[in-house]
Amino acid sequence: MKQKTIIILFGLLFSLSLTLSAQKIYDPSLNAKDQITNAVSKAKKERKQVLIQVGGNWCPWCIKMHKYLHAEAELTKLLEDNFVFIEVNYSKENKNLDVLAELGYPQRFGFPVMLVLNDNGERIHTQSTGYLENGSTYDFEKVKSFLYNWRTDALNPMNYK
């Protein structure tokens, strides 16, 4: 009986480790400066903002945010319609410190951290995702409000005359 229990536990741990290692959202081999340059170029063509999520595969909340943005249909639509979304790695393999310095040291807020750039590549907002949480998950209304209020159209002064 003990041997059977040990085999089952080993199988569960092996499955869990495979699941966790398969969740490679952040790529430490990517050049963050190139990622941002490409995103800004695309945003300019599409008249969108750039939304950067900085984090790492080591960070459970970073993985949660990635999944949350892509699991909630209304949030996914807001994201796709209004932003060029990229995920910039921060890990021991590549901290991207030069790029983060240019972006105002957003890592000071913890991870993940969100940055909004306009279509000229200027940082217009840095968002601690701690304010978007609700207990052990993200709060739908808070995340929706964040995305809605930082879209290009929301910042158009003509909409407020």
Side-chain angles (χ1 to χ4, degrees):
M1 183 70 168
K2 275 187 174 179
Q3 187 177 17
K4 192 175 191 179
T5 303
I6 290 171
I7 291 171
I8 290 170
L9 284 174
F10 179 75
L12 289 172
L13 287 173
F14 182 72
S15 295
L16 178 62
S17 71
L18 284 177
T19 301
L20 291 175
S21 67
Q23 296 175 341
K24 300 292 182 192
I25 294 166
Y26 297 88
D27 186 346
S29 71
L30 293 179
N31 179 315
K33 195 166 202 75
D34 289 346
Q35 279 183 279
I36 293 168
T37 299
N38 293 338
V40 168
S41 176
K42 185 175 180 185
K44 190 168 238 15
K45 288 177 193 164
E46 297 178 7
R47 297 180 181 202
K48 295 180 178 181
Q49 308 284 46
V50 175
L51 181 63
I52 302 171
Q53 180 179 319
V54 182
N57 295 315
W58 53 268
C59 167
W61 280 97
C62 301
I63 304 296
K64 262 185 203 186
M65 177 57 87
H66 171 86
K67 288 181 176 180
Y68 194 77
L69 289 173
H70 295 88
E72 298 284 344
E74 191 173 350
L75 298 180
T76 302
K77 181 165 177 36
L78 258 173
L79 187 65
E80 291 174 354
D81 289 351
N82 298 286
F83 299 93
V84 175
F85 180 66
I86 60 172
E87 287 157 319
V88 169
N89 180 73
Y90 180 93
S91 68
K92 62 184 176 185
E93 297 87 8
N94 182 1
K95 292 183 179 182
N96 285 302
L97 293 177
D98 56 335
V99 170
L100 296 180
E102 291 174 20
L103 294 170
Y105 306 99
Q107 66 269 39
R108 71 186 186 273
F109 294 108
F111 298 98
V113 61
M114 308 296 255
L115 296 105
V116 181
L117 310 181
N118 65 19
D119 64 0
N120 291 318
E122 299 162 330
R123 179 177 56 93
I124 57 174
H125 185 65
T126 302
Q127 178 69 50
S128 167
T129 57
Y131 295 114
L132 305 176
E133 295 173 9
N134 184 9
S136 62
T137 188
Y138 287 103
D139 183 281
F140 178 81
E141 290 302 324
K142 290 176 184 177
V143 175
K144 179 182 170 184
S145 177
F146 165 69
L147 294 173
Y148 186 80
N149 288 310
W150 287 102
R151 60 199 165 83
T152 303
D153 202 40
L155 299 174
N156 182 346
M158 299 304 291
N159 290 331
Y160 300 100
K161 290 189 174 197

